[in-house]
Amino acid sequence: MFSFKTTVLLVLFISFMVFVAFFGRLPALRRTPIAKLHKLIWVQIPNGVLAMDQALTGGRISGYLTRFGNFMVYDRHWTVVGFFLAILVVSECMYLPHMWPKIGTFTKLTVVIVVAMPYTFLYLACASDPGYITPENINYHLSLYPYDHTLFRPGRECKTCRLLKPARSKHCSVCKRCVAKSDHHCIFINSCVGYGNQHWFLLLLTSTALLCTYGGILGLSHLTARIYQKAPNWSMWPPKNMSMNQYLGAWGWGIQENVNIGATTLLALLTCPLIWGLLIYTLYLVYCGTTTNETLKWSEWKEDMQEGYAFRRSMPPNSPKNKLVEPACTRWPVETEQVLVTTMDGEPPKEDSRIPGEGPWERVWSLNHIENLYDLGLWDNLVDVFVPNYTFGTRGDEPIVERRRRTR
Ligand SMILES: [Zn+2]
Ligand SMILES: [Zn+2]
């Protein structure tokens, strides 16, 4: 189909672009070369082209391009979902017909399941409501999580939707609606990841990681068996009995001998670390009881704390609530025990009846001294992701607050 060199270059290019697109905007990778490259590709190069067009045509071409760019970035469209589906379909069409006659019945059965899962979960992640907040369901969404008086405070209204912002929600500028427990807007599913579809998104990541790993290992076992047949002295790892050139040459022969299996195996193995990386990062967020949106907010708090602008005081249990903007109780088993604020001058806040909590203000220097209200421990965090509307109560006779203290 393609020559060996073109295939390898194409596979490397696709893997690299997917890597930058996936990881470039992760808060954890801020200030790394990956983020800089992401900025270069998505901000600086387009800006350079715009400046050139301004000088040459008075900005006519960039006018069209900006409208197109705005549509690509700020509107919902299926381009990336199509790209993702195309990679899946083309790889499988290249791989499966050649691999099928070489595998046994049990392997065939597992292949069918592993191939079908990403499509199923992609459909469910795209098609299900991520938790769009409407006037009809706002009360339900307000009852899901209490306000932590740090990242989320009661009484704030979305300027676009003109609705109260429930705790953990965020307005999505692409979907143009507020989303409950908003994680991020994901171009790979052309939708937000939120309270309603976070479990499908996690299963999509898991099944895609399995597909790449399984396809990679199956392809690798076929390739190495073929190379052994041709060069019985060859060993996959460590390279021995031959020079490095001969060793790599044997790999090259194996991939070229059946380019379809060789190229897709290479693509699967190269994308494996990216998909596993994203899956592990998403699971880590579940473990921490947080979302991508909230990690961004926490990183801002971290900077304020390091500069000495953050203050905390306690929030007594059963503090009075303004029933107009906050439900009396939620399904969440715990309420916040603290109020955090920042001040502009680095001095503790002046007494103000609008700021809740009581007692003296203490300056907070580090996130380590702060409780995350939305972290109940790994097990309950997973339940919250996978069982929508779960009412956290007591497990046996053990009150959940005790259980939470113990899991910390
Ligand atoms: Zn909104
Ligand atoms: Zn969105």
Side-chain angles (χ1 to χ4, degrees), residues 192-212:
C192 265
V193 177
Y195 187 75
N197 64 351
Q198 50 184 351
H199 51 305
W200 297 131
F201 179 72
L202 200 55
L203 289 169
L204 171 65
L205 276 181
T206 311
S207 57
T208 313
L210 282 179
L211 175 72
C212 279

PDB file of all heavy atoms in Angstrom, residues 192-212:
ATOM      1  N   CYS A 192     -19.078  17.587  26.035  1.00  0.00           N
ATOM      2  CA  CYS A 192     -18.385  17.767  27.305  1.00  0.00           C
ATOM      3  C   CYS A 192     -18.297  16.433  28.033  1.00  0.00           C
ATOM      4  O   CYS A 192     -19.108  15.539  27.794  1.00  0.00           O
ATOM      5  CB  CYS A 192     -19.150  18.757  28.175  1.00  0.00           C
ATOM      6  SG  CYS A 192     -18.531  20.439  28.010  1.00  0.00           S
ATOM      7  N   VAL A 193     -17.292  16.305  28.902  1.00  0.00           N
ATOM      8  CA  VAL A 193     -17.275  15.185  29.839  1.00  0.00           C
ATOM      9  C   VAL A 193     -17.784  15.761  31.157  1.00  0.00           C
ATOM     10  O   VAL A 193     -17.207  16.717  31.682  1.00  0.00           O
ATOM     11  CB  VAL A 193     -15.855  14.616  30.014  1.00  0.00           C
ATOM     12  CG1 VAL A 193     -15.860  13.495  31.041  1.00  0.00           C
ATOM     13  CG2 VAL A 193     -15.317  14.122  28.683  1.00  0.00           C
ATOM     14  N   GLY A 194     -18.905  15.219  31.622  1.00  0.00           N
ATOM     15  CA  GLY A 194     -19.499  15.767  32.845  1.00  0.00           C
ATOM     16  C   GLY A 194     -20.169  14.678  33.650  1.00  0.00           C
ATOM     17  O   GLY A 194     -19.925  13.472  33.429  1.00  0.00           O
ATOM     18  N   TYR A 195     -21.049  15.104  34.541  1.00  0.00           N
ATOM     19  CA  TYR A 195     -21.677  14.160  35.479  1.00  0.00           C
ATOM     20  C   TYR A 195     -22.394  13.017  34.756  1.00  0.00           C
ATOM     21  O   TYR A 195     -22.353  11.871  35.200  1.00  0.00           O
ATOM     22  CB  TYR A 195     -22.671  14.922  36.359  1.00  0.00           C
ATOM     23  CG  TYR A 195     -23.246  14.076  37.456  1.00  0.00           C
ATOM     24  CD1 TYR A 195     -22.481  13.752  38.565  1.00  0.00           C
ATOM     25  CD2 TYR A 195     -24.548  13.585  37.382  1.00  0.00           C
ATOM     26  CE1 TYR A 195     -22.989  12.957  39.575  1.00  0.00           C
ATOM     27  CE2 TYR A 195     -25.066  12.796  38.389  1.00  0.00           C
ATOM     28  CZ  TYR A 195     -24.283  12.490  39.487  1.00  0.00           C
ATOM     29  OH  TYR A 195     -24.786  11.697  40.476  1.00  0.00           O
ATOM     30  N   GLY A 196     -23.027  13.326  33.592  1.00  0.00           N
ATOM     31  CA  GLY A 196     -23.862  12.335  32.928  1.00  0.00           C
ATOM     32  C   GLY A 196     -23.103  11.303  32.101  1.00  0.00           C
ATOM     33  O   GLY A 196     -23.636  10.229  31.825  1.00  0.00           O
ATOM     34  N   ASN A 197     -21.871  11.637  31.647  1.00  0.00           N
ATOM     35  CA  ASN A 197     -21.202  10.680  30.749  1.00  0.00           C
ATOM     36  C   ASN A 197     -19.768  10.375  31.165  1.00  0.00           C
ATOM     37  O   ASN A 197     -19.022   9.764  30.405  1.00  0.00           O
ATOM     38  CB  ASN A 197     -21.237  11.197  29.303  1.00  0.00           C
ATOM     39  CG  ASN A 197     -20.450  12.486  29.125  1.00  0.00           C
ATOM     40  OD1 ASN A 197     -20.012  13.089  30.112  1.00  0.00           O
ATOM     41  ND2 ASN A 197     -20.259  12.906  27.895  1.00  0.00           N
ATOM     42  N   GLN A 198     -19.360  10.788  32.378  1.00  0.00           N
ATOM     43  CA  GLN A 198     -17.975  10.572  32.799  1.00  0.00           C
ATOM     44  C   GLN A 198     -17.620   9.085  32.821  1.00  0.00           C
ATOM     45  O   GLN A 198     -16.490   8.709  32.490  1.00  0.00           O
ATOM     46  CB  GLN A 198     -17.732  11.191  34.184  1.00  0.00           C
ATOM     47  CG  GLN A 198     -18.779  10.769  35.196  1.00  0.00           C
ATOM     48  CD  GLN A 198     -18.597  11.452  36.542  1.00  0.00           C
ATOM     49  OE1 GLN A 198     -17.609  12.109  36.791  1.00  0.00           O
ATOM     50  NE2 GLN A 198     -19.566  11.269  37.430  1.00  0.00           N
ATOM     51  N   HIS A 199     -18.601   8.222  33.160  1.00  0.00           N
ATOM     52  CA  HIS A 199     -18.316   6.785  33.198  1.00  0.00           C
ATOM     53  C   HIS A 199     -18.111   6.235  31.794  1.00  0.00           C
ATOM     54  O   HIS A 199     -17.241   5.399  31.569  1.00  0.00           O
ATOM     55  CB  HIS A 199     -19.425   6.017  33.933  1.00  0.00           C
ATOM     56  CG  HIS A 199     -20.807   6.311  33.456  1.00  0.00           C
ATOM     57  ND1 HIS A 199     -21.334   7.586  33.407  1.00  0.00           N
ATOM     58  CD2 HIS A 199     -21.773   5.490  32.982  1.00  0.00           C
ATOM     59  CE1 HIS A 199     -22.564   7.540  32.934  1.00  0.00           C
ATOM     60  NE2 HIS A 199     -22.861   6.279  32.677  1.00  0.00           N
ATOM     61  N   TRP A 200     -18.892   6.747  30.814  1.00  0.00           N
ATOM     62  CA  TRP A 200     -18.694   6.282  29.429  1.00  0.00           C
ATOM     63  C   TRP A 200     -17.347   6.740  28.909  1.00  0.00           C
ATOM     64  O   TRP A 200     -16.678   6.022  28.171  1.00  0.00           O
ATOM     65  CB  TRP A 200     -19.823   6.780  28.507  1.00  0.00           C
ATOM     66  CG  TRP A 200     -21.183   6.280  28.860  1.00  0.00           C
ATOM     67  CD1 TRP A 200     -22.319   7.039  28.986  1.00  0.00           C
ATOM     68  CD2 TRP A 200     -21.581   4.929  29.127  1.00  0.00           C
ATOM     69  NE1 TRP A 200     -23.384   6.248  29.321  1.00  0.00           N
ATOM     70  CE2 TRP A 200     -22.959   4.943  29.416  1.00  0.00           C
ATOM     71  CE3 TRP A 200     -20.903   3.712  29.174  1.00  0.00           C
ATOM     72  CZ2 TRP A 200     -23.673   3.792  29.730  1.00  0.00           C
ATOM     73  CZ3 TRP A 200     -21.617   2.566  29.492  1.00  0.00           C
ATOM     74  CH2 TRP A 200     -22.970   2.612  29.764  1.00  0.00           C
ATOM     75  N   PHE A 201     -16.955   7.954  29.276  1.00  0.00           N
ATOM     76  CA  PHE A 201     -15.658   8.475  28.833  1.00  0.00           C
ATOM     77  C   PHE A 201     -14.519   7.619  29.391  1.00  0.00           C
ATOM     78  O   PHE A 201     -13.583   7.252  28.670  1.00  0.00           O
ATOM     79  CB  PHE A 201     -15.510   9.936  29.292  1.00  0.00           C
ATOM     80  CG  PHE A 201     -14.194  10.550  28.902  1.00  0.00           C
ATOM     81  CD1 PHE A 201     -13.913  10.882  27.585  1.00  0.00           C
ATOM     82  CD2 PHE A 201     -13.218  10.801  29.856  1.00  0.00           C
ATOM     83  CE1 PHE A 201     -12.695  11.439  27.222  1.00  0.00           C
ATOM     84  CE2 PHE A 201     -11.995  11.357  29.509  1.00  0.00           C
ATOM     85  CZ  PHE A 201     -11.731  11.682  28.189  1.00  0.00           C
ATOM     86  N   LEU A 202     -14.621   7.270  30.676  1.00  0.00           N
ATOM     87  CA  LEU A 202     -13.587   6.456  31.314  1.00  0.00           C
ATOM     88  C   LEU A 202     -13.536   5.062  30.666  1.00  0.00           C
ATOM     89  O   LEU A 202     -12.451   4.521  30.425  1.00  0.00           O
ATOM     90  CB  LEU A 202     -13.895   6.347  32.814  1.00  0.00           C
ATOM     91  CG  LEU A 202     -12.749   5.972  33.729  1.00  0.00           C
ATOM     92  CD1 LEU A 202     -11.563   6.900  33.566  1.00  0.00           C
ATOM     93  CD2 LEU A 202     -13.208   5.991  35.181  1.00  0.00           C
ATOM     94  N   LEU A 203     -14.716   4.502  30.349  1.00  0.00           N
ATOM     95  CA  LEU A 203     -14.753   3.186  29.700  1.00  0.00           C
ATOM     96  C   LEU A 203     -14.224   3.268  28.260  1.00  0.00           C
ATOM     97  O   LEU A 203     -13.585   2.330  27.778  1.00  0.00           O
ATOM     98  CB  LEU A 203     -16.180   2.622  29.714  1.00  0.00           C
ATOM     99  CG  LEU A 203     -16.657   2.176  31.101  1.00  0.00           C
ATOM    100  CD1 LEU A 203     -18.159   1.879  31.099  1.00  0.00           C
ATOM    101  CD2 LEU A 203     -15.887   0.949  31.580  1.00  0.00           C
ATOM    102  N   LEU A 204     -14.473   4.407  27.593  1.00  0.00           N
ATOM    103  CA  LEU A 204     -13.927   4.599  26.243  1.00  0.00           C
ATOM    104  C   LEU A 204     -12.399   4.595  26.288  1.00  0.00           C
ATOM    105  O   LEU A 204     -11.739   3.936  25.481  1.00  0.00           O
ATOM    106  CB  LEU A 204     -14.448   5.920  25.655  1.00  0.00           C
ATOM    107  CG  LEU A 204     -13.804   6.377  24.342  1.00  0.00           C
ATOM    108  CD1 LEU A 204     -14.108   5.404  23.220  1.00  0.00           C
ATOM    109  CD2 LEU A 204     -14.280   7.773  23.942  1.00  0.00           C
ATOM    110  N   LEU A 205     -11.840   5.334  27.262  1.00  0.00           N
ATOM    111  CA  LEU A 205     -10.378   5.370  27.409  1.00  0.00           C
ATOM    112  C   LEU A 205      -9.839   3.975  27.710  1.00  0.00           C
ATOM    113  O   LEU A 205      -8.857   3.534  27.106  1.00  0.00           O
ATOM    114  CB  LEU A 205      -9.991   6.295  28.564  1.00  0.00           C
ATOM    115  CG  LEU A 205      -9.895   7.778  28.281  1.00  0.00           C
ATOM    116  CD1 LEU A 205      -9.491   8.529  29.533  1.00  0.00           C
ATOM    117  CD2 LEU A 205      -8.850   8.022  27.199  1.00  0.00           C
ATOM    118  N   THR A 206     -10.501   3.271  28.655  1.00  0.00           N
ATOM    119  CA  THR A 206     -10.030   1.949  29.053  1.00  0.00           C
ATOM    120  C   THR A 206     -10.078   0.984  27.866  1.00  0.00           C
ATOM    121  O   THR A 206      -9.107   0.263  27.608  1.00  0.00           O
ATOM    122  CB  THR A 206     -10.918   1.391  30.190  1.00  0.00           C
ATOM    123  OG1 THR A 206     -11.042   2.403  31.180  1.00  0.00           O
ATOM    124  CG2 THR A 206     -10.330   0.149  30.825  1.00  0.00           C
ATOM    125  N   SER A 207     -11.210   1.006  27.113  1.00  0.00           N
ATOM    126  CA  SER A 207     -11.338   0.038  26.022  1.00  0.00           C
ATOM    127  C   SER A 207     -10.383   0.378  24.886  1.00  0.00           C
ATOM    128  O   SER A 207      -9.862  -0.530  24.224  1.00  0.00           O
ATOM    129  CB  SER A 207     -12.786  -0.017  25.527  1.00  0.00           C
ATOM    130  OG  SER A 207     -13.196   1.258  25.120  1.00  0.00           O
ATOM    131  N   THR A 208     -10.110   1.688  24.654  1.00  0.00           N
ATOM    132  CA  THR A 208      -9.154   2.050  23.597  1.00  0.00           C
ATOM    133  C   THR A 208      -7.742   1.637  24.006  1.00  0.00           C
ATOM    134  O   THR A 208      -6.959   1.158  23.177  1.00  0.00           O
ATOM    135  CB  THR A 208      -9.219   3.564  23.302  1.00  0.00           C
ATOM    136  OG1 THR A 208     -10.583   3.939  23.166  1.00  0.00           O
ATOM    137  CG2 THR A 208      -8.472   3.925  22.044  1.00  0.00           C
ATOM    138  N   ALA A 209      -7.424   1.802  25.295  1.00  0.00           N
ATOM    139  CA  ALA A 209      -6.107   1.378  25.789  1.00  0.00           C
ATOM    140  C   ALA A 209      -5.958  -0.141  25.625  1.00  0.00           C
ATOM    141  O   ALA A 209      -4.905  -0.623  25.190  1.00  0.00           O
ATOM    142  CB  ALA A 209      -5.934   1.780  27.252  1.00  0.00           C
ATOM    143  N   LEU A 210      -7.035  -0.885  25.922  1.00  0.00           N
ATOM    144  CA  LEU A 210      -6.991  -2.352  25.773  1.00  0.00           C
ATOM    145  C   LEU A 210      -6.815  -2.744  24.313  1.00  0.00           C
ATOM    146  O   LEU A 210      -6.033  -3.632  23.979  1.00  0.00           O
ATOM    147  CB  LEU A 210      -8.286  -2.982  26.312  1.00  0.00           C
ATOM    148  CG  LEU A 210      -8.387  -3.101  27.830  1.00  0.00           C
ATOM    149  CD1 LEU A 210      -9.731  -3.707  28.215  1.00  0.00           C
ATOM    150  CD2 LEU A 210      -7.239  -3.970  28.369  1.00  0.00           C
ATOM    151  N   LEU A 211      -7.572  -2.041  23.431  1.00  0.00           N
ATOM    152  CA  LEU A 211      -7.503  -2.345  21.994  1.00  0.00           C
ATOM    153  C   LEU A 211      -6.071  -2.159  21.479  1.00  0.00           C
ATOM    154  O   LEU A 211      -5.536  -3.026  20.788  1.00  0.00           O
ATOM    155  CB  LEU A 211      -8.463  -1.432  21.226  1.00  0.00           C
ATOM    156  CG  LEU A 211      -8.431  -1.550  19.701  1.00  0.00           C
ATOM    157  CD1 LEU A 211      -9.061  -2.858  19.263  1.00  0.00           C
ATOM    158  CD2 LEU A 211      -9.152  -0.391  19.042  1.00  0.00           C
ATOM    159  N   CYS A 212      -5.447  -1.026  21.833  1.00  0.00           N
ATOM    160  CA  CYS A 212      -4.085  -0.744  21.363  1.00  0.00           C
ATOM    161  C   CYS A 212      -3.108  -1.777  21.921  1.00  0.00           C
ATOM    162  O   CYS A 212      -2.230  -2.256  21.196  1.00  0.00           O
ATOM    163  CB  CYS A 212      -3.641   0.647  21.822  1.00  0.00           C
ATOM    164  SG  CYS A 212      -4.285   1.911  20.786  1.00  0.00           S
TER     165      CYS A 212
END
